[in-house]
Amino acid sequence: MKLRKVTAASAAVLALAVGATACGGGKDDDSSSSGGGKKIAIGIKFDQPGIGQKTPQGYAGFDVDVATYVAKKLGYGADQIEWKESKSADRETMLQRGDVNFIAASYSITPERQQKVDFAGPYLLAHQDVLIRANDKTIKSPADLNKKKLCSVTGSTSAQNVKAELAPKAQLQQYPTYSACLNGLRNKAIDALTTDDSILAGYASQPQFKGQFKLGGFKMTNENYGIGVKKGSDLKAKINKALEEMVSDGSWQKAVDKNFGPAEYKNEPAPKIGEIKS
């Protein structure tokens, strides 16, 4: 009798399993798959206008456009993307833990980071630059930053790099956010703001700042933006293919123009996959 009860229960479980499979369950429910799943988790910045920003209308920026294009090529529609905030200090950990499938968040490829995660790309070559007032004619080269008030966010190394290598007499000012630096630049409390030119262009492209600022165009460093994936992930090759298609069909340049155009950002041509400029 006991044996018959076990057999009946087993049959019931088997029937349920067969029914679930027939209804479409199984592999497609796995959001960690490389395509066709219900959801894909993507890390972006939430606070960088022009790059990655969370707005009342949704998510916007160049990295968002790139990530959305890549996700589509992997088999996911825009409504299947779960956006997750990827702060700079958390990116490697998020990938290693599997919190996200990939990260596109002004993520510069460096030898140190490559020891922890893999990178597809690069998909943008940015440079450290300065943002100044549109009518400022006194800053024409990095050397002109000497005795000028130079701003960057607290904890950033950008301003220190300028002071150490290019303008030793620059007066460093540290503000909590780039928006605070921009307000200081607008009211003449500071003379220049420094970080990646893509980030500067994104901020300067905001409607409330239209026509007020310009990029110096100094190209003080090379910043190769890549898409981070977990070490050993097969997504790297698939994302690289998607990035190549984005460039070839014109979508990449459209995304650059849309997100950085108002700041008259003179972008570099799309970099070749695997070509890292030091």
Side-chain angles (χ1 to χ4, degrees):
M1 191 66 162
K2 192 172 181 180
L3 180 60
R4 282 197 298 273
K5 284 182 180 178
V6 172
T7 304
S10 300
V13 170
L14 179 60
L16 284 171
V18 171
T21 303
C23 291
K27 223 174 183 184
D28 285 348
D29 295 331
D30 182 4
S31 64
S32 65
S33 67
S34 60
K38 288 186 176 180
K39 290 286 183 182
I40 184 169
I42 302 174
I44 57 169
K45 290 293 179 70
F46 277 16
D47 60 352
Q48 286 185 348
I51 299 287
Q53 185 180 27
K54 184 178 181 181
T55 73
Q57 294 76 39
Y59 299 90
F62 180 70
D63 282 349
V64 175
D65 290 344
V66 171
T68 302
Y69 185 99
V70 168
K72 183 178 179 180
K73 291 297 182 179
L74 293 176
Y76 298 91
D79 59 343
Q80 294 175 294
I81 297 173
E82 181 183 359
W83 300 109
K84 293 193 175 185
E85 183 175 18
S86 297
K87 296 180 179 179
S88 296
D90 300 334
R91 290 177 296 202
E92 285 83 34
T93 302
M94 290 180 73
L95 288 169
Q96 290 168 341
R97 283 196 312 233
D99 296 340
V100 291
N101 295 82
F102 66 82
I103 290 177
S106 55
Y107 201 2
S108 295
I109 302 171
T110 67
E112 294 76 20
R113 289 169 179 164
Q114 287 177 307
Q115 293 178 8
K116 301 176 182 178
V117 299
D118 285 341
F119 284 96
Y123 63 93
L124 184 72
L125 177 61
H127 307 280
Q128 186 180 344
D129 200 355
V130 296
L131 194 71
I132 56 180
R133 288 182 289 277
N135 60 0
D136 189 332
K137 302 192 186 311
T138 66
I139 301 175
K140 299 178 180 179
S141 71
D144 293 331
L145 295 169
N146 280 306
K147 297 185 179 179
K148 298 286 189 180
K149 293 178 180 177
L150 179 64
C151 184
S152 194
V153 296
T154 304
S156 170
T157 59
S158 298
Q160 286 88 340
N161 290 342
V162 173
K163 184 174 175 66
E165 299 179 20
L166 300 168
K169 295 182 181 178
Q171 300 172 27
L172 300 188
Q173 306 285 320
Q174 290 192 329
Y175 284 29
T177 64
Y178 289 117
S179 295
C181 281
L182 275 172
N183 287 328
L185 188 57
R186 183 163 56 172
N187 62 31
K188 299 185 179 180
I190 62 168
D191 300 303
L193 160 61
T194 186
T195 187
D196 295 357
D197 54 7
S198 57
I199 296 173
L200 295 174
Y203 275 98
S205 295
Q206 294 178 94
Q208 67 268 35
F209 297 131
K210 186 176 181 180
Q212 296 183 37
F213 308 114
K214 64 183 178 182
L215 289 162
F218 299 158
K219 298 184 179 180
M220 294 180 280
T221 64
N222 290 328
E223 304 295 336
N224 302 272
Y225 287 3
I227 292 180
V229 298
K230 191 172 184 178
K231 200 78 174 168
S233 173
D234 63 354
L235 278 180
K236 177 179 175 179
K238 296 175 183 178
I239 293 172
N240 278 336
K241 183 179 179 182
L243 292 174
E244 289 176 338
E245 291 176 7
M246 187 176 188
V247 173
S248 64
D249 70 16
S251 299
W252 183 89
Q253 189 61 51
K254 287 179 182 177
V256 170
D257 295 341
K258 181 182 84 172
N259 292 290
F260 305 131
E264 298 182 5
Y265 175 58
K266 296 177 175 61
N267 66 281
E268 297 277 6
K272 292 182 180 179
I273 298 301
E275 186 176 284
I276 311 297
K277 291 195 175 181
S278 58

